[in-house]
Amino acid sequence: MISASDLNPAELAALLHFHAEAGVEWLLEDEAVDRFAEFEAMKAARRAAAPAAQPQPERQAQPDRGTPPRPAAAQQPAAAAPALRPQPAIPDGEAVQQARFAAESARSLAELRTALEAFNGCNLKHSVRSTIFASGDPASGIMVIGPAPSADDEREGIAFAGRQGQLLDKMLAAIGLQRSAILLTQIIPWRPPGNRMPSAAETEICRPFIERQIALAEPRAILLLGNYTARFFFGENDTIHGLRGRWKEIAVAEQVIPAIASLHPQDLLTAPINKRLAWNDLLAFQARLRDMSLLTN
C-alpha cells in the first residue's frame, strides 16, 4: 500500500483531485483501514458462527456388539463464535413519542438543541457527523426555514452553507436582512443519505423538534424555502410553483404565524431563470416585515 508520505506534491495533488472528481467529500477515519482484511475476518466470523455440521437423523440400526457405543460425553460440539447482530431499530411510532417528549421537555432553544443532539430515535442520525440546529437571532421575530441539510451544511455544521448559502445571503441582503440578524433552521436536522427526500416516518419523527423550535422562538413571520418545506407546513401536495408567493397562516402550538413560501436557493442555482419569481416573493416578504415593524430600512 502506497503511503501519502511517499508521494511528491504533484502526485499528491493529482490524487486528491481524482478523489474530489469521484465524489469523495471527506475521510471517515483518521487512519487507513484494510477493507480486504476486514472482509476476510467478517467471512471467517460467519463461518465460525454457522453450525459445523447439520445433525443427521438417528438410524434405527442394530448396534455393533463388538464395538461399545461411544459415550455421549465424548462427543464435543464445535465452539461457535457469537454472531454479530445489528442494534434493534426503534419502531416509528415509539420514536415519534420519544421525539415529542424530548422536544416538549425543552424550555429554551439551548435545551432543545441538547435534547436533539442526544436523541437517537431517527435512523438518519446514524449516517451523519453533524446535527443541524437553528442559528442566528431568535429575538428578531423573523424565521427562515429550509428542508434538510446538504453535504455542505453537514460538513460545516450550519444550515445553508456552501454555494446555496452564499446565494441565500445575497437574497437576504437584497431586502435588508442579514443571516446573523434572523433565525435560520431546517425541518430535518440530519442529512438524508445521497440527499434523498426524507421518508414519511423520518418526517414525523423530526416534526416535534422543528415545531418546538418555532414555539420557543415565537417568530412573527416565516419564510419557507423549497417544495418539501412548503408542503410540510401548508399540508398541500402542490409544487412550489403553485405554493409560492401567497401568504398563509400556519398553526404551531398555540401560535398562528403568517408564512410565505419561495424557491430554495438550490432551485435557483439549477434554474437561474426562476430568480425573478424568488425576487417577487422576497419583495412580498420585505413588505410584510415593514408593515409589522420588523424591518425599518
Side-chain angles (χ1 to χ4, degrees):
M1 182 178 295
I2 300 176
S3 173
S5 59
D6 298 329
L7 302 177
N8 60 44
E11 293 172 333
L12 184 58
L15 178 62
L16 293 175
H17 179 73
F18 169 78
H19 286 309
E21 290 295 324
V24 177
E25 297 176 339
W26 63 77
L27 295 176
L28 297 180
E29 293 91 6
D30 293 332
E31 298 180 358
V33 177
D34 189 340
R35 297 298 182 189
F36 295 100
E38 189 178 74
F39 180 67
E40 292 298 328
M42 184 185 301
K43 291 197 299 183
R46 289 179 177 175
R47 286 195 297 267
Q54 296 294 332
Q56 300 294 329
E58 297 182 359
R59 297 180 179 179
Q60 301 295 330
Q62 294 294 331
D64 187 355
R65 297 182 183 276
T67 303
R70 185 178 181 183
Q75 300 177 1
Q76 299 294 334
L84 298 177
R85 297 181 179 179
Q87 295 182 351
I90 301 176
D92 294 337
E94 183 179 342
V96 172
Q97 294 179 1
Q98 292 181 4
R100 186 176 297 115
F101 176 79
E104 293 177 354
S105 299
R107 294 294 176 263
S108 66
L109 287 174
E111 290 183 9
L112 183 60
R113 178 170 193 154
T114 300
L116 182 61
E117 292 174 343
F119 181 74
N120 292 312
C122 184
N123 64 297
L124 292 177
K125 186 176 182 181
H126 305 314
S127 61
V128 301
R129 66 175 186 177
S130 296
T131 296
I132 307 302
F133 192 72
S135 61
D137 183 9
S140 64
I142 304 171
M143 199 168 189
V144 176
I145 304 177
S150 66
D152 290 324
D153 298 346
E154 183 183 0
R155 186 162 45 246
E156 298 187 26
I158 59 173
F160 298 103
R163 290 184 62 205
Q164 58 178 277
Q166 295 171 4
L167 179 55
L168 178 61
D169 290 344
K170 294 179 180 178
M171 294 165 60
L172 295 174
I175 59 172
L177 296 176
Q178 294 182 354
R179 173 189 292 256
S180 59
I182 62 176
L183 193 63
L184 287 175
T185 191
Q186 292 171 330
I187 296 173
I188 307 297
W190 305 289
R191 181 171 77 100
N195 293 329
R196 64 167 174 79
M197 292 298 296
S199 68
E202 293 162 350
T203 298
E204 291 308 307
I205 293 172
C206 296
R207 181 182 294 274
F209 292 108
I210 183 60
E211 291 183 346
R212 189 60 176 161
Q213 287 184 57
I214 296 174
L216 292 171
E218 299 182 340
R220 296 176 57 193
I222 298 178
L223 175 62
L224 307 174
L225 297 178
N227 189 69
Y228 174 84
T229 312
R231 288 181 173 182
F232 178 90
F233 284 103
F234 292 162
E236 302 179 28
N237 293 324
D238 203 350
T239 67
I240 187 59
H241 289 278
L243 298 173
R244 53 156 290 274
R246 292 180 290 135
W247 283 97
K248 298 187 178 183
E249 292 184 338
I250 59 176
V252 177
E254 299 179 354
Q255 305 175 44
V256 178
I257 309 164
I260 188 172
S262 186
L263 289 93
H264 192 278
Q266 185 59 50
D267 299 333
L268 304 180
L269 292 173
T270 304
I273 193 174
N274 289 325
K275 287 183 178 181
R276 58 184 179 85
L277 302 177
W279 176 239
N280 291 333
D281 300 336
L282 290 174
L283 291 177
F285 190 59
Q286 181 189 49
R288 188 63 173 262
L289 296 181
R290 284 176 174 168
D291 291 342
M292 303 174 71
S293 300
L294 295 175
L295 185 64
T296 56
N297 59 345

PDB file of all heavy atoms in Angstrom, residues 237-273:
ATOM      1  N   ASN A 237     -50.226  19.249  -1.528  1.00  0.00           N
ATOM      2  CA  ASN A 237     -49.374  18.427  -2.385  1.00  0.00           C
ATOM      3  C   ASN A 237     -48.965  19.122  -3.675  1.00  0.00           C
ATOM      4  O   ASN A 237     -48.401  18.487  -4.565  1.00  0.00           O
ATOM      5  CB  ASN A 237     -50.085  17.110  -2.720  1.00  0.00           C
ATOM      6  CG  ASN A 237     -50.246  16.230  -1.502  1.00  0.00           C
ATOM      7  OD1 ASN A 237     -49.376  16.186  -0.635  1.00  0.00           O
ATOM      8  ND2 ASN A 237     -51.370  15.527  -1.425  1.00  0.00           N
ATOM      9  N   ASP A 238     -49.259  20.402  -3.798  1.00  0.00           N
ATOM     10  CA  ASP A 238     -48.887  21.141  -4.997  1.00  0.00           C
ATOM     11  C   ASP A 238     -47.371  21.337  -5.028  1.00  0.00           C
ATOM     12  O   ASP A 238     -46.679  21.157  -4.024  1.00  0.00           O
ATOM     13  CB  ASP A 238     -49.599  22.494  -5.013  1.00  0.00           C
ATOM     14  CG  ASP A 238     -49.724  23.060  -6.422  1.00  0.00           C
ATOM     15  OD1 ASP A 238     -49.101  22.501  -7.342  1.00  0.00           O
ATOM     16  OD2 ASP A 238     -50.445  24.052  -6.585  1.00  0.00           O
ATOM     17  N   THR A 239     -46.843  21.728  -6.183  1.00  0.00           N
ATOM     18  CA  THR A 239     -45.416  22.019  -6.287  1.00  0.00           C
ATOM     19  C   THR A 239     -45.143  23.410  -5.726  1.00  0.00           C
ATOM     20  O   THR A 239     -46.055  24.189  -5.454  1.00  0.00           O
ATOM     21  CB  THR A 239     -44.957  21.959  -7.752  1.00  0.00           C
ATOM     22  OG1 THR A 239     -45.579  23.030  -8.478  1.00  0.00           O
ATOM     23  CG2 THR A 239     -45.340  20.624  -8.384  1.00  0.00           C
ATOM     24  N   ILE A 240     -43.877  23.731  -5.586  1.00  0.00           N
ATOM     25  CA  ILE A 240     -43.504  25.024  -5.042  1.00  0.00           C
ATOM     26  C   ILE A 240     -43.986  26.158  -5.942  1.00  0.00           C
ATOM     27  O   ILE A 240     -44.308  27.255  -5.459  1.00  0.00           O
ATOM     28  CB  ILE A 240     -41.969  25.113  -4.840  1.00  0.00           C
ATOM     29  CG1 ILE A 240     -41.598  26.400  -4.099  1.00  0.00           C
ATOM     30  CG2 ILE A 240     -41.239  25.001  -6.172  1.00  0.00           C
ATOM     31  CD1 ILE A 240     -42.237  26.546  -2.741  1.00  0.00           C
ATOM     32  N   HIS A 241     -44.119  25.907  -7.231  1.00  0.00           N
ATOM     33  CA  HIS A 241     -44.590  26.952  -8.143  1.00  0.00           C
ATOM     34  C   HIS A 241     -46.068  27.261  -7.898  1.00  0.00           C
ATOM     35  O   HIS A 241     -46.523  28.372  -8.189  1.00  0.00           O
ATOM     36  CB  HIS A 241     -44.369  26.524  -9.594  1.00  0.00           C
ATOM     37  CG  HIS A 241     -42.930  26.514  -9.990  1.00  0.00           C
ATOM     38  ND1 HIS A 241     -42.241  27.640 -10.368  1.00  0.00           N
ATOM     39  CD2 HIS A 241     -42.019  25.498 -10.034  1.00  0.00           C
ATOM     40  CE1 HIS A 241     -40.992  27.338 -10.657  1.00  0.00           C
ATOM     41  NE2 HIS A 241     -40.831  26.045 -10.452  1.00  0.00           N
ATOM     42  N   GLY A 242     -46.800  26.290  -7.353  1.00  0.00           N
ATOM     43  CA  GLY A 242     -48.188  26.544  -7.020  1.00  0.00           C
ATOM     44  C   GLY A 242     -48.392  27.043  -5.606  1.00  0.00           C
ATOM     45  O   GLY A 242     -49.447  27.612  -5.291  1.00  0.00           O
ATOM     46  N   LEU A 243     -47.382  26.851  -4.757  1.00  0.00           N
ATOM     47  CA  LEU A 243     -47.497  27.237  -3.349  1.00  0.00           C
ATOM     48  C   LEU A 243     -46.798  28.549  -3.020  1.00  0.00           C
ATOM     49  O   LEU A 243     -47.082  29.159  -1.989  1.00  0.00           O
ATOM     50  CB  LEU A 243     -46.920  26.114  -2.457  1.00  0.00           C
ATOM     51  CG  LEU A 243     -47.623  24.757  -2.528  1.00  0.00           C
ATOM     52  CD1 LEU A 243     -46.845  23.716  -1.727  1.00  0.00           C
ATOM     53  CD2 LEU A 243     -49.054  24.866  -2.013  1.00  0.00           C
ATOM     54  N   ARG A 244     -45.897  28.975  -3.875  1.00  0.00           N
ATOM     55  CA  ARG A 244     -45.070  30.146  -3.575  1.00  0.00           C
ATOM     56  C   ARG A 244     -45.864  31.443  -3.739  1.00  0.00           C
ATOM     57  O   ARG A 244     -46.894  31.506  -4.430  1.00  0.00           O
ATOM     58  CB  ARG A 244     -43.840  30.200  -4.502  1.00  0.00           C
ATOM     59  CG  ARG A 244     -44.155  30.127  -5.977  1.00  0.00           C
ATOM     60  CD  ARG A 244     -43.067  30.751  -6.825  1.00  0.00           C
ATOM     61  NE  ARG A 244     -43.046  32.189  -6.668  1.00  0.00           N
ATOM     62  CZ  ARG A 244     -43.814  33.030  -7.382  1.00  0.00           C
ATOM     63  NH1 ARG A 244     -44.679  32.560  -8.277  1.00  0.00           N
ATOM     64  NH2 ARG A 244     -43.724  34.323  -7.189  1.00  0.00           N
ATOM     65  N   GLY A 245     -45.346  32.485  -3.074  1.00  0.00           N
ATOM     66  CA  GLY A 245     -45.830  33.827  -3.318  1.00  0.00           C
ATOM     67  C   GLY A 245     -47.157  34.184  -2.681  1.00  0.00           C
ATOM     68  O   GLY A 245     -47.667  35.277  -2.913  1.00  0.00           O
ATOM     69  N   ARG A 246     -47.747  33.298  -1.882  1.00  0.00           N
ATOM     70  CA  ARG A 246     -49.042  33.585  -1.256  1.00  0.00           C
ATOM     71  C   ARG A 246     -48.922  33.438   0.255  1.00  0.00           C
ATOM     72  O   ARG A 246     -48.440  32.421   0.748  1.00  0.00           O
ATOM     73  CB  ARG A 246     -50.121  32.624  -1.779  1.00  0.00           C
ATOM     74  CG  ARG A 246     -50.467  32.849  -3.238  1.00  0.00           C
ATOM     75  CD  ARG A 246     -51.524  31.872  -3.710  1.00  0.00           C
ATOM     76  NE  ARG A 246     -51.012  30.513  -3.807  1.00  0.00           N
ATOM     77  CZ  ARG A 246     -51.650  29.446  -3.359  1.00  0.00           C
ATOM     78  NH1 ARG A 246     -52.800  29.579  -2.735  1.00  0.00           N
ATOM     79  NH2 ARG A 246     -51.134  28.250  -3.507  1.00  0.00           N
ATOM     80  N   TRP A 247     -49.357  34.446   0.971  1.00  0.00           N
ATOM     81  CA  TRP A 247     -49.300  34.409   2.423  1.00  0.00           C
ATOM     82  C   TRP A 247     -50.370  33.462   2.966  1.00  0.00           C
ATOM     83  O   TRP A 247     -51.516  33.488   2.538  1.00  0.00           O
ATOM     84  CB  TRP A 247     -49.512  35.804   3.015  1.00  0.00           C
ATOM     85  CG  TRP A 247     -48.293  36.666   2.915  1.00  0.00           C
ATOM     86  CD1 TRP A 247     -48.036  37.596   1.960  1.00  0.00           C
ATOM     87  CD2 TRP A 247     -47.171  36.654   3.794  1.00  0.00           C
ATOM     88  NE1 TRP A 247     -46.807  38.178   2.182  1.00  0.00           N
ATOM     89  CE2 TRP A 247     -46.248  37.624   3.308  1.00  0.00           C
ATOM     90  CE3 TRP A 247     -46.837  35.939   4.939  1.00  0.00           C
ATOM     91  CZ2 TRP A 247     -45.030  37.879   3.929  1.00  0.00           C
ATOM     92  CZ3 TRP A 247     -45.618  36.188   5.560  1.00  0.00           C
ATOM     93  CH2 TRP A 247     -44.737  37.149   5.057  1.00  0.00           C
ATOM     94  N   LYS A 248     -49.957  32.627   3.905  1.00  0.00           N
ATOM     95  CA  LYS A 248     -50.870  31.721   4.587  1.00  0.00           C
ATOM     96  C   LYS A 248     -50.534  31.721   6.065  1.00  0.00           C
ATOM     97  O   LYS A 248     -49.432  32.138   6.471  1.00  0.00           O
ATOM     98  CB  LYS A 248     -50.766  30.303   4.021  1.00  0.00           C
ATOM     99  CG  LYS A 248     -51.140  30.195   2.556  1.00  0.00           C
ATOM    100  CD  LYS A 248     -51.177  28.751   2.109  1.00  0.00           C
ATOM    101  CE  LYS A 248     -51.589  28.638   0.661  1.00  0.00           C
ATOM    102  NZ  LYS A 248     -51.708  27.220   0.229  1.00  0.00           N
ATOM    103  N   GLU A 249     -51.440  31.251   6.860  1.00  0.00           N
ATOM    104  CA  GLU A 249     -51.209  31.156   8.297  1.00  0.00           C
ATOM    105  C   GLU A 249     -50.963  29.703   8.678  1.00  0.00           C
ATOM    106  O   GLU A 249     -51.683  28.808   8.235  1.00  0.00           O
ATOM    107  CB  GLU A 249     -52.408  31.713   9.079  1.00  0.00           C
ATOM    108  CG  GLU A 249     -52.587  33.211   8.937  1.00  0.00           C
ATOM    109  CD  GLU A 249     -53.713  33.731   9.796  1.00  0.00           C
ATOM    110  OE1 GLU A 249     -54.608  32.928  10.165  1.00  0.00           O
ATOM    111  OE2 GLU A 249     -53.714  34.940  10.119  1.00  0.00           O
ATOM    112  N   ILE A 250     -49.925  29.483   9.478  1.00  0.00           N
ATOM    113  CA  ILE A 250     -49.634  28.141   9.975  1.00  0.00           C
ATOM    114  C   ILE A 250     -49.774  28.159  11.494  1.00  0.00           C
ATOM    115  O   ILE A 250     -49.415  29.137  12.153  1.00  0.00           O
ATOM    116  CB  ILE A 250     -48.221  27.666   9.561  1.00  0.00           C
ATOM    117  CG1 ILE A 250     -47.140  28.615  10.088  1.00  0.00           C
ATOM    118  CG2 ILE A 250     -48.119  27.567   8.038  1.00  0.00           C
ATOM    119  CD1 ILE A 250     -45.723  28.142   9.790  1.00  0.00           C
ATOM    120  N   ALA A 251     -50.314  27.092  12.027  1.00  0.00           N
ATOM    121  CA  ALA A 251     -50.542  26.980  13.469  1.00  0.00           C
ATOM    122  C   ALA A 251     -49.508  26.051  14.073  1.00  0.00           C
ATOM    123  O   ALA A 251     -49.362  24.898  13.634  1.00  0.00           O
ATOM    124  CB  ALA A 251     -51.948  26.463  13.747  1.00  0.00           C
ATOM    125  N   VAL A 252     -48.789  26.542  15.061  1.00  0.00           N
ATOM    126  CA  VAL A 252     -47.792  25.759  15.786  1.00  0.00           C
ATOM    127  C   VAL A 252     -48.017  25.994  17.264  1.00  0.00           C
ATOM    128  O   VAL A 252     -47.970  27.150  17.719  1.00  0.00           O
ATOM    129  CB  VAL A 252     -46.357  26.153  15.393  1.00  0.00           C
ATOM    130  CG1 VAL A 252     -45.349  25.362  16.221  1.00  0.00           C
ATOM    131  CG2 VAL A 252     -46.120  25.913  13.916  1.00  0.00           C
ATOM    132  N   ALA A 253     -48.245  24.901  17.991  1.00  0.00           N
ATOM    133  CA  ALA A 253     -48.590  25.008  19.409  1.00  0.00           C
ATOM    134  C   ALA A 253     -49.808  25.929  19.536  1.00  0.00           C
ATOM    135  O   ALA A 253     -50.832  25.677  18.940  1.00  0.00           O
ATOM    136  CB  ALA A 253     -47.394  25.494  20.221  1.00  0.00           C
ATOM    137  N   GLU A 254     -49.684  27.016  20.270  1.00  0.00           N
ATOM    138  CA  GLU A 254     -50.801  27.952  20.423  1.00  0.00           C
ATOM    139  C   GLU A 254     -50.614  29.209  19.581  1.00  0.00           C
ATOM    140  O   GLU A 254     -51.323  30.195  19.777  1.00  0.00           O
ATOM    141  CB  GLU A 254     -50.949  28.339  21.899  1.00  0.00           C
ATOM    142  CG  GLU A 254     -51.248  27.147  22.805  1.00  0.00           C
ATOM    143  CD  GLU A 254     -51.369  27.551  24.253  1.00  0.00           C
ATOM    144  OE1 GLU A 254     -51.114  28.738  24.551  1.00  0.00           O
ATOM    145  OE2 GLU A 254     -51.711  26.687  25.076  1.00  0.00           O
ATOM    146  N   GLN A 255     -49.667  29.167  18.637  1.00  0.00           N
ATOM    147  CA  GLN A 255     -49.372  30.334  17.814  1.00  0.00           C
ATOM    148  C   GLN A 255     -49.935  30.162  16.404  1.00  0.00           C
ATOM    149  O   GLN A 255     -49.950  29.052  15.861  1.00  0.00           O
ATOM    150  CB  GLN A 255     -47.858  30.552  17.718  1.00  0.00           C
ATOM    151  CG  GLN A 255     -47.151  30.654  19.058  1.00  0.00           C
ATOM    152  CD  GLN A 255     -45.648  30.749  18.897  1.00  0.00           C
ATOM    153  OE1 GLN A 255     -45.140  31.472  18.055  1.00  0.00           O
ATOM    154  NE2 GLN A 255     -44.927  30.004  19.718  1.00  0.00           N
ATOM    155  N   VAL A 256     -50.379  31.253  15.824  1.00  0.00           N
ATOM    156  CA  VAL A 256     -50.776  31.309  14.412  1.00  0.00           C
ATOM    157  C   VAL A 256     -49.870  32.336  13.745  1.00  0.00           C
ATOM    158  O   VAL A 256     -49.895  33.520  14.095  1.00  0.00           O
ATOM    159  CB  VAL A 256     -52.254  31.687  14.251  1.00  0.00           C
ATOM    160  CG1 VAL A 256     -52.608  31.789  12.775  1.00  0.00           C
ATOM    161  CG2 VAL A 256     -53.147  30.663  14.938  1.00  0.00           C
ATOM    162  N   ILE A 257     -49.056  31.884  12.788  1.00  0.00           N
ATOM    163  CA  ILE A 257     -47.979  32.717  12.254  1.00  0.00           C
ATOM    164  C   ILE A 257     -48.148  32.857  10.748  1.00  0.00           C
ATOM    165  O   ILE A 257     -48.350  31.862  10.042  1.00  0.00           O
ATOM    166  CB  ILE A 257     -46.607  32.087  12.572  1.00  0.00           C
ATOM    167  CG1 ILE A 257     -46.509  31.746  14.064  1.00  0.00           C
ATOM    168  CG2 ILE A 257     -45.472  33.011  12.146  1.00  0.00           C
ATOM    169  CD1 ILE A 257     -45.382  30.807  14.391  1.00  0.00           C
ATOM    170  N   PRO A 258     -48.042  34.074  10.212  1.00  0.00           N
ATOM    171  CA  PRO A 258     -48.081  34.239   8.751  1.00  0.00           C
ATOM    172  C   PRO A 258     -46.793  33.721   8.122  1.00  0.00           C
ATOM    173  O   PRO A 258     -45.693  33.954   8.630  1.00  0.00           O
ATOM    174  CB  PRO A 258     -48.229  35.750   8.568  1.00  0.00           C
ATOM    175  CG  PRO A 258     -47.644  36.344   9.806  1.00  0.00           C
ATOM    176  CD  PRO A 258     -47.956  35.369  10.914  1.00  0.00           C
ATOM    177  N   ALA A 259     -46.950  33.010   7.006  1.00  0.00           N
ATOM    178  CA  ALA A 259     -45.786  32.426   6.331  1.00  0.00           C
ATOM    179  C   ALA A 259     -45.974  32.530   4.828  1.00  0.00           C
ATOM    180  O   ALA A 259     -47.101  32.457   4.314  1.00  0.00           O
ATOM    181  CB  ALA A 259     -45.592  30.971   6.741  1.00  0.00           C
ATOM    182  N   ILE A 260     -44.873  32.697   4.132  1.00  0.00           N
ATOM    183  CA  ILE A 260     -44.877  32.732   2.676  1.00  0.00           C
ATOM    184  C   ILE A 260     -43.778  31.805   2.179  1.00  0.00           C
ATOM    185  O   ILE A 260     -42.705  31.713   2.783  1.00  0.00           O
ATOM    186  CB  ILE A 260     -44.658  34.173   2.146  1.00  0.00           C
ATOM    187  CG1 ILE A 260     -44.875  34.221   0.631  1.00  0.00           C
ATOM    188  CG2 ILE A 260     -43.289  34.699   2.520  1.00  0.00           C
ATOM    189  CD1 ILE A 260     -44.873  35.639   0.070  1.00  0.00           C
ATOM    190  N   ALA A 261     -44.060  31.080   1.098  1.00  0.00           N
ATOM    191  CA  ALA A 261     -43.102  30.123   0.552  1.00  0.00           C
ATOM    192  C   ALA A 261     -42.447  30.682  -0.704  1.00  0.00           C
ATOM    193  O   ALA A 261     -43.051  31.464  -1.445  1.00  0.00           O
ATOM    194  CB  ALA A 261     -43.796  28.800   0.231  1.00  0.00           C
ATOM    195  N   SER A 262     -41.214  30.258  -0.934  1.00  0.00           N
ATOM    196  CA  SER A 262     -40.485  30.641  -2.135  1.00  0.00           C
ATOM    197  C   SER A 262     -39.564  29.507  -2.548  1.00  0.00           C
ATOM    198  O   SER A 262     -39.477  28.479  -1.868  1.00  0.00           O
ATOM    199  CB  SER A 262     -39.670  31.919  -1.899  1.00  0.00           C
ATOM    200  OG  SER A 262     -39.076  32.365  -3.109  1.00  0.00           O
ATOM    201  N   LEU A 263     -38.882  29.696  -3.663  1.00  0.00           N
ATOM    202  CA  LEU A 263     -37.987  28.662  -4.155  1.00  0.00           C
ATOM    203  C   LEU A 263     -36.730  28.585  -3.299  1.00  0.00           C
ATOM    204  O   LEU A 263     -36.247  29.596  -2.793  1.00  0.00           O
ATOM    205  CB  LEU A 263     -37.610  28.919  -5.612  1.00  0.00           C
ATOM    206  CG  LEU A 263     -38.739  28.703  -6.624  1.00  0.00           C
ATOM    207  CD1 LEU A 263     -39.470  29.996  -6.903  1.00  0.00           C
ATOM    208  CD2 LEU A 263     -38.210  28.115  -7.920  1.00  0.00           C
ATOM    209  N   HIS A 264     -36.209  27.387  -3.179  1.00  0.00           N
ATOM    210  CA  HIS A 264     -34.980  27.166  -2.427  1.00  0.00           C
ATOM    211  C   HIS A 264     -33.792  27.684  -3.236  1.00  0.00           C
ATOM    212  O   HIS A 264     -33.808  27.646  -4.479  1.00  0.00           O
ATOM    213  CB  HIS A 264     -34.823  25.663  -2.157  1.00  0.00           C
ATOM    214  CG  HIS A 264     -33.770  25.327  -1.164  1.00  0.00           C
ATOM    215  ND1 HIS A 264     -32.437  25.237  -1.493  1.00  0.00           N
ATOM    216  CD2 HIS A 264     -33.850  25.047   0.171  1.00  0.00           C
ATOM    217  CE1 HIS A 264     -31.741  24.918  -0.418  1.00  0.00           C
ATOM    218  NE2 HIS A 264     -32.571  24.798   0.612  1.00  0.00           N
ATOM    219  N   PRO A 265     -32.749  28.193  -2.577  1.00  0.00           N
ATOM    220  CA  PRO A 265     -31.579  28.665  -3.328  1.00  0.00           C
ATOM    221  C   PRO A 265     -31.002  27.624  -4.284  1.00  0.00           C
ATOM    222  O   PRO A 265     -30.525  27.987  -5.369  1.00  0.00           O
ATOM    223  CB  PRO A 265     -30.581  29.028  -2.218  1.00  0.00           C
ATOM    224  CG  PRO A 265     -31.440  29.396  -1.057  1.00  0.00           C
ATOM    225  CD  PRO A 265     -32.631  28.495  -1.139  1.00  0.00           C
ATOM    226  N   GLN A 266     -31.064  26.344  -3.921  1.00  0.00           N
ATOM    227  CA  GLN A 266     -30.562  25.316  -4.822  1.00  0.00           C
ATOM    228  C   GLN A 266     -31.385  25.252  -6.097  1.00  0.00           C
ATOM    229  O   GLN A 266     -30.852  25.003  -7.182  1.00  0.00           O
ATOM    230  CB  GLN A 266     -30.565  23.956  -4.121  1.00  0.00           C
ATOM    231  CG  GLN A 266     -29.936  22.830  -4.942  1.00  0.00           C
ATOM    232  CD  GLN A 266     -28.490  23.130  -5.291  1.00  0.00           C
ATOM    233  OE1 GLN A 266     -27.682  23.491  -4.438  1.00  0.00           O
ATOM    234  NE2 GLN A 266     -28.144  22.982  -6.564  1.00  0.00           N
ATOM    235  N   ASP A 267     -32.702  25.487  -5.970  1.00  0.00           N
ATOM    236  CA  ASP A 267     -33.549  25.537  -7.170  1.00  0.00           C
ATOM    237  C   ASP A 267     -33.096  26.655  -8.105  1.00  0.00           C
ATOM    238  O   ASP A 267     -33.146  26.509  -9.337  1.00  0.00           O
ATOM    239  CB  ASP A 267     -35.009  25.763  -6.784  1.00  0.00           C
ATOM    240  CG  ASP A 267     -35.560  24.642  -5.910  1.00  0.00           C
ATOM    241  OD1 ASP A 267     -35.051  23.511  -6.020  1.00  0.00           O
ATOM    242  OD2 ASP A 267     -36.491  24.907  -5.134  1.00  0.00           O
ATOM    243  N   LEU A 268     -32.674  27.762  -7.518  1.00  0.00           N
ATOM    244  CA  LEU A 268     -32.252  28.913  -8.324  1.00  0.00           C
ATOM    245  C   LEU A 268     -30.892  28.675  -8.959  1.00  0.00           C
ATOM    246  O   LEU A 268     -30.615  29.177 -10.046  1.00  0.00           O
ATOM    247  CB  LEU A 268     -32.225  30.171  -7.456  1.00  0.00           C
ATOM    248  CG  LEU A 268     -33.540  30.497  -6.736  1.00  0.00           C
ATOM    249  CD1 LEU A 268     -33.383  31.759  -5.906  1.00  0.00           C
ATOM    250  CD2 LEU A 268     -34.675  30.636  -7.732  1.00  0.00           C
ATOM    251  N   LEU A 269     -30.035  27.916  -8.284  1.00  0.00           N
ATOM    252  CA  LEU A 269     -28.750  27.571  -8.884  1.00  0.00           C
ATOM    253  C   LEU A 269     -28.944  26.614 -10.055  1.00  0.00           C
ATOM    254  O   LEU A 269     -28.221  26.671 -11.046  1.00  0.00           O
ATOM    255  CB  LEU A 269     -27.835  26.933  -7.832  1.00  0.00           C
ATOM    256  CG  LEU A 269     -27.346  27.864  -6.717  1.00  0.00           C
ATOM    257  CD1 LEU A 269     -26.596  27.065  -5.648  1.00  0.00           C
ATOM    258  CD2 LEU A 269     -26.438  28.952  -7.283  1.00  0.00           C
ATOM    259  N   THR A 270     -29.931  25.740  -9.930  1.00  0.00           N
ATOM    260  CA  THR A 270     -30.212  24.782 -11.004  1.00  0.00           C
ATOM    261  C   THR A 270     -30.919  25.445 -12.177  1.00  0.00           C
ATOM    262  O   THR A 270     -30.612  25.155 -13.340  1.00  0.00           O
ATOM    263  CB  THR A 270     -31.079  23.632 -10.465  1.00  0.00           C
ATOM    264  OG1 THR A 270     -30.414  23.022  -9.345  1.00  0.00           O
ATOM    265  CG2 THR A 270     -31.320  22.583 -11.532  1.00  0.00           C
ATOM    266  N   ALA A 271     -31.847  26.341 -11.883  1.00  0.00           N
ATOM    267  CA  ALA A 271     -32.611  27.034 -12.930  1.00  0.00           C
ATOM    268  C   ALA A 271     -32.616  28.528 -12.640  1.00  0.00           C
ATOM    269  O   ALA A 271     -33.556  29.054 -12.036  1.00  0.00           O
ATOM    270  CB  ALA A 271     -34.040  26.484 -12.999  1.00  0.00           C
ATOM    271  N   PRO A 272     -31.583  29.264 -13.031  1.00  0.00           N
ATOM    272  CA  PRO A 272     -31.479  30.698 -12.716  1.00  0.00           C
ATOM    273  C   PRO A 272     -32.637  31.531 -13.246  1.00  0.00           C
ATOM    274  O   PRO A 272     -32.896  32.623 -12.729  1.00  0.00           O
ATOM    275  CB  PRO A 272     -30.152  31.103 -13.379  1.00  0.00           C
ATOM    276  CG  PRO A 272     -29.358  29.840 -13.487  1.00  0.00           C
ATOM    277  CD  PRO A 272     -30.367  28.764 -13.721  1.00  0.00           C
ATOM    278  N   ILE A 273     -33.362  31.025 -14.248  1.00  0.00           N
ATOM    279  CA  ILE A 273     -34.475  31.806 -14.799  1.00  0.00           C
ATOM    280  C   ILE A 273     -35.554  32.051 -13.760  1.00  0.00           C
ATOM    281  O   ILE A 273     -36.342  32.992 -13.860  1.00  0.00           O
ATOM    282  CB  ILE A 273     -35.063  31.088 -16.037  1.00  0.00           C
ATOM    283  CG1 ILE A 273     -35.986  32.019 -16.800  1.00  0.00           C
ATOM    284  CG2 ILE A 273     -35.774  29.805 -15.633  1.00  0.00           C
ATOM    285  CD1 ILE A 273     -36.489  31.444 -18.116  1.00  0.00           C
TER     286      ILE A 273
END
